[in-house]
């Protein structure tokens, strides 16, 4: 068996280069590595510096090195970084689970801020990075890049890594920041992808005010239709589960239909060229608000944990993958001829990322504070710094977009393109490892947990997260008066600015819940 | 949107022919069809004739027809029937779940019968079908087939469809038959695949007693190593979950490691050219016996339902797929020139399947009854007929093997090969629909539920299936004395023939459970 494993390792190098087919060898190795990541991640749990993504990244890098040595420098990859795999299979469960588990109250309370940071902020960051790259890259002389390429660089490096953010911030410890940074991350991912697609499609040779307006119109109609599609499919699923009540015959059907319809929302959005990320996120929110309350108790436990597990596996897989892919020899060949240029370009991009994010977080926070009346709602400078810092990581979305733009069919033809790919890898690795490692300590330094003792312990009863409690108790539906029993939190919420939420609750109870189910109608 | 869907449907035909890449269009359609299958399956639940597989098969056929009409006869397929997809992604969850949910006591009680039916029975059926086909096909003149092809036909049509059997027999109503037929099905699938691979590898030009012995030796060493690998990985997983107790930090890790290690067992077996089906089946049994008791309550609920759901989706997908693939134009072109031959060959194969199964079920049942002393353990003629009938369905394993043998790269070159593919489709469709539809009524006719009122209501407490009850009750671990509280069932079990089981229990309690966890050590 030892010999078998050895020869399998040798084979890996050969197979990955001549065949696109996913081979049994590479699946075995990947699954084994995923298991190793989980065990190591658990053992390092107590460590305050390391998080799961960094562990996976290092395991990926380590495996890459071993394969590189075993194949005598021929190859380090088991699978080519495949956008399709990433966008069609790995991203949807992560974003859906985020929508499903997000604290809806916190999210909608900060809805204006989130969309502002996510949409307007990303546009600002995009402009800063594109403009900065165009100006500064010319002095570096790194090979020919078109205007389209510079705009693409702006979109690529504006995509925050929401996956990594999830692991660094804690929903229970810092709920406000979590919902802000994470919500922004989802909108930001969607914005970057939409921007990127728009850049690839638009005719950039003749930019005038008309095409500019058309571009902006397109952009907002995309955001709105994507959201609506997600809400619609979520409601359809709620209606089906309520009307048919599958649980009568089989819990498996309930779970299967929830998983399939969630995925359907994403893939339908992709089919109609909408933003699947936004669609599946809102589908997740609607499903946790309505559908989740229509199914049997065991389906609730199962969906809550199964979605979280799928998301967890997909996240770990992505970081493992990025780590393993980073060592690919072919990409570094061009760089070895001019290492200075590559390091310069990477440092420049990192600086631009830092500046680009700063140039929207602080001004927009100022604007947001200006509009708020109560002092508790305003964002302090410490919180602003945390928001700025927590969104600096760049991850798999950036990688996927960079591959799409600069490495058609996975191979880098031009020197300029090759350098852009290696720069992206450098920025992703550096920001994930260095920024990621520093975020946990930074958050503790800036916002020690004792600052917000009340909010931290309150459990939002309308979210699946709260299920742990009733399960340990009597195992029956907690439902009912869960919310009214925390009047202090309630009064905190019902400040004048939240009248929209009040009307929504009225509408929800009167019209939506009788049709689609939910906590009170059951 | 309607227009978009229409054009997507038109595109499907074009895409499937010129690109192997799984497209967004086809995924959308497949996911939507899976949802439709679930809803329809639920609505038809009360119907005593239709089962879920037949529903999925008809929906697949219907969709195939629509695409055929929409593309004006050019194509009916969305995806080519892909062995890799089937063997690497769809089969493992089904077989693992079967092992995970099987009633272990019933299974091991009938272990001898199961291996006898599964291994020796399949060999007999293989010989009958191969020999019969070789003799009778020559009179039909359906194009040139080698000796290897005839042997492959024997292996292909000896593979019972365990997936379909699961849906037709009920574990609670007829536990003995269920465990016999289903257990046999798993061993049988494994046997057919092993036989098939052996035929493809062996040099058939010089058969003598030495190669024959080598063949048999290979065969049994494969069965044993596959089983051992599954048990080993299952125990490793149990050890990890017991030692590290992930639940302390996160339930997601527990669930993830169970899923990943289950899959690892399958894919490792495939990597070492063992039988993944057997490996993953025994891994499932070990996991439900040890690992499942080491994890938190919510992980137990989740894994039980999540595995069942994955298996359910995979099953539905397979039948949908087979239904959709059956209408492919290209394959029927050859047949249309000589429809008589194809019908004749299909009818012949169906007859051989009937005879092949009869020629081992009745003799082996006689042998088994001969060895048993107590009358209640003997198989009555009615039960024998049910065993014979329930194993007549041929399904996706046969399809996958047939494609592997007769349609390299998905296209049929020779007339003989083309006819064999269409015959396989005909046999699979006919046996699934006609035999499948008749099985439920037949089982009710031969073995009315009132025949075994006691066994039918007893719940095996060591199997995940029983979880529904404690969950509805106090939500705490039932565990403990669940077994001793049913002494009548216990005495039924402890007949002299079950001393092996007794010693196993002693060994299990003394050596295994303290190390790997399990019901009593918790």
């Amino acid at each position: 068996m030892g010999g078998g494993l050895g020869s399998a390792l040798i084979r890996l190098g050969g197979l990955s280069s001549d065949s696109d087919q996913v081979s049994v060898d590479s699946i075995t190795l990947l699954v084994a590595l995923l298991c190793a990541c989980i065990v190591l991640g658990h053992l390092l749990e107590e460590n305050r510096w390391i998080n799961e993504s960094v562990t996976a990244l290092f395991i990926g890098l380590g495996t890459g090195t071993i394969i590189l040595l075993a194949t005598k420098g021929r190859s380090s990859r088991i699978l080519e970084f495949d956008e399709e795999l990433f966008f069609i299979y790995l991203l949807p469960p992560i974003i859906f689970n985020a929508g499903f588990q997000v604290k809806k109250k916190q999210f909608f309370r900060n809805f204006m801020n989130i969309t502002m940071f996510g949409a307007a902020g990303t546009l600002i960051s995009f402009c800063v990075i594109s403009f900065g790259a165009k100006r500064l890259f010319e002095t570096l002389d790194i090979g020919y890049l078109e205007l389209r390429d510079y705009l693409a660089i702006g979109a690529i490096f504006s995509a925050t890594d929401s996956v990594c953010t999830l692991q660094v911030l804690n929903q229970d410890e810092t709920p406000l920041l979590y919902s802000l940074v994470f919500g922004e991350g989802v909108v930001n991912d969607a914005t970057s992808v939409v921007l990127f697609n728009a850049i690839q499609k638009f005719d950039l040779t003749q930019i005038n005010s008309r095409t500019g307006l058309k571009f902006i119109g397109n952009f907002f109609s995309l955001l709105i239709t994507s959201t609506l599609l997600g809400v619609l499919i979520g409601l359809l699923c709620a209606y089906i589960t309520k009307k048919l009540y599958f649980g009568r015959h089989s819990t498996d059907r309930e779970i299967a239909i929830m998983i399939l319809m969630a995925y359907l929302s994403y893939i339908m959005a992709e089919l109609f060229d909408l933003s699947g990320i936004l669609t599946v996120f809102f589908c997740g929110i609607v499903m946790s608000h309505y559908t989740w309350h229509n199914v049997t108790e065991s389906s609730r436990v199962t969906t809550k944990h199964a979605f979280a597990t799928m998301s967890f596996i997909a996240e770990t897989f992505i970081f493992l993958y990025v780590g393993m892919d980073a060592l690919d020899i072919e990409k570094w060949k061009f760089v070895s001829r001019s290492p200075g240029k590559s390091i310069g370009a990477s440092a420049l991009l990192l600086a631009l990322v830092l500046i680009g994010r700063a140039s929207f977080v602080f001004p927009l926070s100022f604007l947001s504070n200006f509009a708020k009346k109560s002092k508790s709602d305003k964002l302090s400078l410490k919180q602003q710094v945390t928001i700025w810092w927590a969104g600096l990581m760049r991850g798999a979305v950036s990688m996927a977009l960079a591959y799409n733009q600069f490495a058609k069919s996975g191979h880098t033809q031009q020197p300029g393109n090759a350098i852009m790919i290696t720069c992206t890898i450098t920025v992703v690795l550096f920001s994930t490892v260095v920024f990621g490692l520093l975020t946990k300590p930074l958050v503790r330094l800036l916002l020690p947990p004792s600052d917000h003792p009340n909010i931290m312990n309150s459990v939002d009863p309308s979210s699946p997260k709260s299920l742990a409690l009733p399960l340990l108790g009597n195992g029956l539906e907690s439902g009912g008066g869960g919310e009214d029993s925390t009047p202090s939190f309630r009064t905190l919420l019902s400040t004048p600015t939240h009248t929209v939420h009040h009307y929504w609750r009225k509408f929800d109870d009167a019209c939506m819940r009788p049709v689609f189910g939910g906590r009170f109608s059951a």
Side-chain angles (χ1 to χ4, degrees), chain A:
Chain A
M1 263 190 176
L5 194 66
S7 71
L9 268 174
I10 304 291
R11 261 188 290 163
L12 283 172
L15 271 172
S16 66
S17 60
D18 62 16
S19 142
D20 283 328
Q21 222 181 13
V22 180
S23 66
V24 171
D25 309 355
S26 39
I27 297 176
T28 312
L29 188 63
L30 275 173
V31 175
L33 285 176
L34 280 174
C35 292
C37 285
I38 292 172
V39 172
L40 263 175
H42 172 80
L43 294 175
L44 294 170
E45 177 84 31
E46 306 298 336
N47 193 303
R48 59 181 287 196
W49 298 89
I50 302 279
N51 58 50
E52 210 117 40
S53 352
V54 178
T55 316
L57 212 52
F58 277 116
I59 291 181
L61 281 171
T63 318
T65 317
I66 292 169
I67 298 173
L68 202 66
L69 295 174
T71 58
K72 296 192 183 65
R74 269 188 297 122
S75 170
S76 73
R77 287 185 297 182
I78 290 177
L79 299 163
E80 301 246 347
F81 189 93
D82 183 352
E83 290 163 67
E84 192 184 89
L85 176 73
F86 176 72
F87 277 114
I88 294 192
Y89 301 109
L90 296 174
L91 201 56
I94 299 176
I95 305 293
F96 174 76
N97 182 56
F100 197 72
Q101 316 264 9
V102 84
K103 292 198 162 145
K104 291 184 288 296
K105 229 170 265 166
Q106 279 285 345
F107 181 80
F108 283 108
R109 211 180 147 200
N110 298 306
F111 193 70
M112 274 311 293
N113 271 357
I114 287 169
T115 37
M116 196 167 70
F117 278 119
T122 309
L123 281 175
I124 295 173
S125 165
F126 161 72
C127 294
V128 170
I129 296 173
S130 297
F131 187 76
K134 182 148 175 52
R135 269 296 167 91
L136 299 167
F137 273 23
E138 276 161 12
T139 61
L140 270 174
D141 182 37
I142 56 154
Y144 179 70
L145 290 173
E146 289 175 51
L147 174 63
R148 193 185 294 272
D149 290 329
Y150 287 111
L151 292 177
I153 290 172
I156 290 166
F157 290 100
S158 296
T160 306
D161 186 7
S162 46
V163 176
C164 205
T165 310
L166 279 172
Q167 300 199 336
V168 164
L169 288 176
N170 190 311
Q171 183 159 12
D172 295 317
E173 279 173 23
T174 49
L176 174 69
L177 285 184
Y178 179 90
S179 67
L180 261 184
V181 174
F182 173 67
E184 182 222 312
V186 172
V187 181
N188 163 304
D189 274 354
T191 312
S192 305
V193 175
V194 171
L195 260 177
F196 185 80
N197 288 337
I199 291 162
Q200 289 204 315
K201 272 177 211 157
F202 258 66
D203 185 9
L204 291 169
T205 48
Q206 35 181 344
I207 307 175
N208 54 37
S209 59
R210 227 186 122 196
T211 52
L213 275 177
K214 206 178 156 195
F215 184 89
I216 292 168
N218 254 347
F219 180 75
F220 281 100
S221 78
L222 253 178
L223 290 191
I224 292 163
T225 31
S226 303
T227 308
L228 279 181
L229 180 67
V231 171
L232 256 173
I233 294 185
L235 287 178
L236 180 67
C237 185
Y239 185 76
I240 291 175
T241 46
K242 188 173 158 68
K243 273 286 149 188
L244 297 179
Y245 194 54
F246 294 110
R248 197 166 13 119
H249 292 305
S250 121
T251 29
D252 305 339
R253 280 209 194 102
E254 289 182 338
I255 303 164
I257 202 122
M258 279 178 82
I259 295 175
L260 289 172
M261 290 201 74
Y263 191 64
L264 187 65
S265 75
Y266 184 86
I267 201 82
M268 265 183 81
E270 292 291 310
L271 183 67
F272 297 125
D273 286 326
L274 302 175
S275 161
I277 297 176
L278 266 183
T279 306
V280 81
F281 181 74
F282 279 96
C283 184
I285 289 182
V286 172
M287 279 207 185
S288 81
H289 191 65
Y290 297 110
T291 320
W292 195 70
H293 296 279
N294 297 340
V295 298
T296 58
E297 182 67 27
S298 21
S299 296
R300 276 182 231 178
V301 183
T302 308
T303 45
K304 174 185 165 342
H305 289 291
F307 291 149
T309 306
M310 282 196 278
S311 162
F312 172 72
I313 294 176
E315 280 169 29
T316 316
F317 187 85
I318 288 173
F319 285 103
L320 198 62
Y321 201 23
V322 170
M324 226 145 43
D325 190 74
L327 277 177
D328 179 41
I329 278 292
E330 207 182 316
K331 286 189 290 255
W332 296 96
K333 271 183 196 154
F334 290 101
V335 180
S336 59
R337 285 182 222 147
S338 51
K341 273 183 202 166
S342 175
I343 294 168
S346 305
L348 212 81
L349 281 169
L350 268 171
L352 284 173
V353 165
L354 285 163
I355 297 166
R357 193 162 173 83
S359 63
F360 77 84
V361 169
F362 298 108
L364 290 180
S365 300
F366 178 77
L367 269 178
S368 150
N369 283 347
F370 198 71
K372 296 262 164 80
K373 276 164 199 158
S374 81
K375 199 175 170 290
S376 68
D377 277 353
K378 292 192 178 184
L379 292 164
S380 69
L381 188 66
K382 281 180 176 181
Q383 285 177 320
Q384 292 179 26
V385 172
T386 314
I387 293 173
W388 171 65
W389 186 266
L392 285 178
M393 283 164 275
R394 295 296 173 268
V397 172
S398 299
M399 289 279 285
L401 294 180
Y403 270 85
N404 187 310
Q405 177 74 13
F406 298 110
K408 293 285 167 206
S409 79
H411 293 281
T412 44
Q413 283 111 6
Q414 286 184 311
N417 287 357
I419 285 186
M420 284 322 300
I421 294 279
T422 54
C423 279
T424 312
I425 294 172
T426 314
V427 170
V428 167
L429 286 184
F430 187 86
S431 67
T432 308
V433 174
V434 178
F435 296 169
L437 285 181
L438 291 175
T439 307
K440 259 189 187 175
L442 189 85
V443 172
R444 285 195 197 178
L445 188 78
L446 289 174
L447 310 159
S450 55
D451 270 358
H452 29 254
N454 269 321
I455 298 172
M456 148 182 190
N457 291 321
S458 76
V459 176
D460 180 351
S462 68
S463 149
K465 271 269 175 192
S466 66
L467 201 90
L469 263 89
L471 235 201
L472 291 170
N474 54 14
L476 290 167
E477 162 124 322
S478 70
E483 205 168 349
D484 304 300
S485 62
T486 55
S488 63
F489 188 49
R490 182 94 213 214
T491 39
L492 195 81
L493 275 176
S494 50
T495 44
T497 39
H498 299 109
T499 39
V500 178
H501 181 249
H502 176 72
Y503 282 115
W504 159 246
R505 288 307 291 254
K506 271 197 153 174
F507 172 71
D508 194 25
D509 287 338
C511 305
M512 301 295 276
R513 284 186 164 143
V515 183
F516 300 109
R519 213 148 39 88
F520 295 127
S521 72

